[in-house]
Amino acid sequence: MMKTKKIFSLIGILFITCISVIGISFTYASITSKLSIDGYASMNSMKWSIHFQNLSNANLKGKTLEVTKPTLKNNSTSISDFEVKFMNINDGVNYTFDVVNDGDLDAKISSIVMPKPVCTSTGDTAYEDSSLICDNLNYSLTYLDGTEIKIGDTLEKGQSKSLILKLEYLGTNLPQNVVEISGLSIALIYVQK
Amino acid sequence: MNKGTKYIKIGVAVAAFLLCGTIVYAGFTQQLDIQGKATVKKSSWAIKFTNLQPVVKTGTATEVTAPTINTNDTKISEYDVTLTTPGDSVTYDFDVTNEGTFDAKISSITIPTPSCKGSGDNATADETNVCDNLTYTLTYADGTQLAVDDTLTSGETKSLKLTLTYLSSINAEQLPTEDVSISNLAISVIYAQAASSTSD
């Protein structure tokens, strides 16, 4: 008889405990809030493509000889390997070409690197000859109308602009020996506008 | 007198004694009473989103669908945006308000890392390139990060800012070749009663 009473008492205690735990759970749940945020986004495909095209033949002045024609390389992002010979005063060459934005993003020029040409010669008059040529050399890259290319110039998507590269000897004398002209690499860096 | 009658008399005598004893005892007692009244005032627990503002876009970002706040004011959802250009971003400003009678504090914050799903031959690279250059943040309006245990006292409102940004510091090779969908943007902030909270 006593044993039965103890069992009932124990069950009673367990029941009360369970009720308490459930009560605590309900109380806890009732004083919290879950705030939520949700959504969806997508990223459109994009293409970045600034390149040269429509490279013209050489426009030669005077007795200038074109030894090697320039070529478009590296997905048309480079014009290179041209070689010309100036034979007389007032000789010169120019090439025209376009820079095109075929991508989906507007662009602008962030940097222009246009070094000063380097002249080298041989013989007793090497210094004089080199100076003569480099001091009277015009090397320029401009827009076709002669406007200077500047940092910040824009090239909107779908837009193309015509450029002209000029190399001219403006001196009135000729050197004693052959003078080689190097350092003609120009870099234009376009970035997203 | 037989034996049965004797027992009856004794019984009556004992009963009479007990009755007298009770009366005497009652004469030396005093009942002390304490009375009072207690009430439990009404209280409420209400942490809500409010004051959701129109999207703020930068660059070429577009909003396909504006977000909405649900009827319980506890969920902002359904926004759908499209980012196109590196540097694009969308921002939503809104408030979180404690309209209840208890002080609250943040007990948990979950801000997931967005998932990207591309398509086509370059899908995997596109997914990596896009997701590696996304930032998804929920901050206070001044840019301060939300933190566990941040409080929101009864009656207090704080302004929040949700921002999704496509970083501008990428190169041309990292641009996606096909459209990339971005999911897993579900954020949850759980407010619980602050420990020192009292209700007037």
Side-chain angles (χ1 to χ4, degrees):
Chain A
M1 191 67 177
M2 285 294 287
K3 191 174 181 180
T4 305
K5 281 185 177 177
K6 281 184 179 178
I7 290 171
F8 281 130
S9 297
L10 187 58
I11 290 171
I13 290 166
L14 285 174
F15 180 73
I16 291 167
T17 305
C18 288
I19 293 294
S20 300
V21 169
I22 292 167
I24 289 167
S25 300
F26 284 159
T27 303
Y28 175 76
S30 66
I31 53 171
T32 64
S33 284
K34 180 181 179 182
L35 302 182
S36 54
I37 301 165
D38 201 1
Y40 174 81
S42 62
M43 183 75 67
N44 282 349
S45 61
M46 276 288 117
K47 185 176 70 172
W48 176 258
S49 178
I50 310 273
H51 59 88
F52 295 125
Q53 68 179 31
N54 297 329
L55 176 61
S56 72
N57 290 323
N59 179 17
L60 304 173
K61 282 175 62 183
K63 295 182 177 178
T64 303
L65 293 176
E66 184 184 49
V67 179
T68 308
K69 290 185 175 185
T71 53
L72 293 170
K73 290 184 174 178
N74 301 324
N75 297 319
S76 298
T77 60
S78 172
I79 296 174
S80 59
D81 297 334
F82 75 90
E83 183 178 349
V84 293
K85 281 187 178 177
F86 295 159
M87 308 301 289
N88 206 344
I89 58 173
N90 293 321
D91 275 4
V93 63
N94 66 61
Y95 296 98
T96 61
F97 46 87
D98 296 335
V99 59
V100 179
N101 185 349
D102 267 346
D104 302 308
L105 304 172
D106 295 337
K108 66 179 181 181
I109 295 176
S110 70
S111 173
I112 304 170
V113 180
M114 189 156 185
K116 192 174 180 182
V118 176
C119 297
T120 54
S121 186
T122 57
D124 295 340
T125 58
Y127 176 77
E128 290 79 5
D129 287 347
S130 300
S131 298
L132 174 68
I133 298 302
C134 267
D135 289 349
N136 293 283
L137 204 60
N138 173 41
Y139 186 50
S140 65
L141 177 67
T142 65
Y143 293 109
L144 190 58
D145 63 2
T147 308
E148 181 188 3
I149 298 172
K150 301 186 300 294
I151 290 174
D153 285 356
T154 58
L155 191 65
E156 312 285 337
K157 60 183 177 182
Q159 187 179 24
S160 72
K161 290 185 176 179
S162 296
L163 308 182
I164 182 167
L165 179 71
K166 287 183 181 176
L167 182 62
E168 302 170 302
Y169 178 58
L170 305 176
T172 54
N173 298 311
L174 291 173
Q176 298 294 316
N177 293 302
V178 172
V179 176
E180 290 187 356
I181 305 167
S182 59
L184 300 176
S185 299
I186 296 174
L188 296 178
I189 298 178
Y190 282 87
V191 297
Q192 184 188 345
K193 180 183 170 186
Chain B
M1 183 180 294
N2 60 25
K3 195 174 183 178
T5 304
K6 185 179 181 181
Y7 283 148
I8 291 169
K9 284 182 178 175
I10 290 171
V12 170
V14 170
F17 175 78
L18 285 176
L19 188 60
C20 292
T22 302
I23 292 169
V24 171
Y25 175 75
F28 290 98
T29 62
Q30 176 62 56
Q31 179 175 325
L32 301 178
D33 292 328
I34 299 173
Q35 291 185 347
K37 180 183 178 185
T39 58
V40 177
K41 281 193 173 180
K42 69 172 184 178
S43 58
S44 63
W45 175 255
I47 310 285
K48 297 179 176 181
F49 286 133
T50 57
N51 197 29
L52 176 61
Q53 296 295 303
V55 65
V56 176
K57 300 175 287 185
T58 60
T60 57
T62 58
E63 183 187 54
V64 180
T65 308
T68 56
I69 300 179
N70 69 349
T71 52
N72 294 330
D73 297 328
T74 57
K75 185 171 186 176
I76 295 174
S77 61
E78 309 295 342
Y79 75 82
D80 185 354
V81 296
T82 301
L83 306 177
T84 300
T85 308
D88 281 359
S89 70
V90 291
T91 299
Y92 292 105
D93 295 310
F94 49 89
D95 295 337
V96 58
T97 302
N98 185 347
E99 291 183 357
T101 52
F102 297 101
D103 294 342
K105 66 176 184 179
I106 295 175
S107 66
S108 171
I109 305 169
T110 305
I111 302 179
T113 301
S115 299
C116 292
K117 181 68 177 172
S119 61
D121 295 338
N122 209 37
T124 303
D126 283 352
E127 291 164 2
T128 302
N129 287 331
V130 170
C131 262
D132 283 354
N133 290 287
L134 278 179
T135 61
Y136 188 48
T137 60
L138 176 66
T139 65
Y140 293 108
D142 63 1
T144 309
Q145 295 289 324
L146 272 71
V148 169
D149 290 336
D150 283 357
T151 58
L152 189 68
T153 55
S154 174
E156 187 179 20
T157 294
K158 289 185 175 177
S159 296
L160 304 182
K161 182 187 294 285
L162 178 73
T163 305
L164 180 64
T165 303
Y166 184 33
L167 300 178
S168 59
S169 55
I170 67 167
N171 56 46
E173 288 72 29
Q174 291 176 304
L175 291 170
T177 57
E178 301 286 345
D179 292 356
V180 174
S181 62
I182 303 162
S183 58
N184 198 32
L185 299 174
I187 291 176
S188 69
V189 181
I190 297 178
Y191 281 89
Q193 185 182 2
S196 59
S197 178
T198 56
S199 177
D200 292 334

